[in-house]
Amino acid sequence: GIHPHEVKNNKVDSISIINEINNNSKIIGIGETGLDFFYSHSEKSDQIKSFEEHIEAAIKLKIPLIIHSRNAEKEMLDVFNNYKNENLKILMHCYTGSRKFAEKLLSFNAYFSASGIITFKNSSNLQNTFKNIPNERLLIETDSPFLAPEPYRGKKNEPSFILSTLEKLSKLKNLSTKSLSDITTDNFEKLFSQ
C-alpha cells in the first residue's frame, strides 16, 4: 500500500498492486492506504485516485484494505459510496474518527482497530466511540513504533505494550481482557480469512 502522505512520490494503479501481491504469498491485505487531509504532503485529488486504485485491487483480490483516515471523513464516505455494492473488507487502522463516522462505516461492514490513543487522558470522545462499536467489529493494534499507550506514552512503542491498550478497551467494553482478546483474535481471523 501507499500511505496518503507518500502518494505524490509513488503513483500506482490497481494492476501493479495486484501483480505485486501475486508475487508474494505472504501478503494478506492492502495498505496502509486512505486519505489524510490534516497534512498536505500530497494533493487531495492524487490521494483519492491512489485510494481508489487500492480499492479496485482489493476488490479483484478479495482481500482487506487497511485504511488510514485523518480529516477526510466526508471524502472517504464519498469514495466508499462508489463501491457500496462491492462487499469491501475494511479495517480502519488506528481509528481516531468521530462516532458518527464510525456508525456510517459500519454500514460498509468495517472493522475498527484501537491503538494506544484510547488510553490517553484527553481521548474521552474516542473512548466513547469505541465503547459503542460492536464487539464483533473490534481489533487492537500497537501502531509501533508510534502511539505508545499510557503509562508508556512518549516512549518508542513496542508489541508488548498492546496489553495496556487491551486493558483499557476491556474496561470500556466491560469485558475481561481474556474475553476481549478472544473476540479481537476471532475478528482478525474473520477479516483476513480468504
Side-chain angles (χ1 to χ4, degrees):
I2 306 295
H3 189 284
H5 291 179
E6 305 301 323
V7 167
K8 70 179 176 186
N9 300 321
N10 298 285
K11 305 291 187 217
V12 295
D13 59 61
S14 61
I15 293 170
S16 63
I17 296 167
I18 291 167
N19 290 338
E20 187 75 25
I21 290 170
N22 286 335
N23 288 329
N24 188 331
S25 62
K26 293 183 179 184
I27 296 175
I28 61 171
I30 295 177
E32 177 172 344
T33 184
L35 304 174
D36 189 322
F37 301 150
F38 184 78
Y39 296 106
S40 15
H41 294 301
S42 297
E43 293 293 326
K44 284 184 178 184
S45 59
D46 291 341
Q47 288 186 48
I48 291 168
K49 175 70 173 141
S50 177
F51 186 37
E52 290 171 337
E53 293 293 332
H54 285 90
I55 292 171
E56 295 287 336
I59 290 168
K60 289 179 177 127
L61 293 169
K62 297 182 171 85
I63 60 176
L65 287 156
I66 297 93
I67 297 175
H68 173 101
S69 176
R70 189 165 186 198
N71 286 40
E73 292 184 1
K74 180 201 175 301
E75 294 85 353
M76 186 150 290
L77 288 172
D78 289 345
V79 171
F80 281 148
N81 278 321
N82 293 330
Y83 299 96
K84 62 185 168 194
N85 297 320
E86 296 294 341
N87 198 25
L88 295 173
K89 293 176 144 194
I90 297 168
L91 171 57
M92 298 304 295
H93 149 72
C94 191
Y95 188 74
T96 57
S98 69
R99 181 174 172 185
K100 185 176 177 182
F101 185 41
E103 289 168 355
K104 290 180 179 179
L105 289 169
L106 283 167
S107 71
F108 295 99
N109 296 314
Y111 288 76
F112 301 83
S113 188
S115 70
I117 295 173
I118 66 163
T119 70
F120 298 174
K121 290 175 180 66
N122 63 349
S123 69
S124 58
N125 287 342
L126 184 62
Q127 291 170 10
N128 187 50
T129 296
F130 269 95
K131 193 184 294 187
N132 289 286
I133 291 172
N135 293 348
E136 66 271 11
R137 293 291 164 183
L138 292 174
L139 291 167
I140 300 174
E141 67 174 278
T142 62
D143 200 31
S144 179
F146 309 109
L147 304 174
E150 295 290 348
Y152 309 103
R153 191 166 180 188
K155 295 182 180 179
K156 182 179 177 182
N157 201 356
E158 62 178 64
S160 68
F161 295 172
I162 201 167
L163 294 176
S164 295
T165 305
L166 174 65
E167 289 169 5
K168 181 64 176 186
L169 190 56
S170 295
K171 287 178 186 170
L172 292 172
K173 299 301 278 185
N174 199 24
L175 295 168
S176 70
T177 54
K178 169 76 169 101
S179 293
L180 187 59
S181 178
D182 290 345
I183 289 167
T184 57
T185 299
D186 288 345
N187 291 346
F188 176 86
E189 295 295 336
K190 285 177 198 164
L191 179 60
F192 286 94
S193 66
Q194 291 276 351

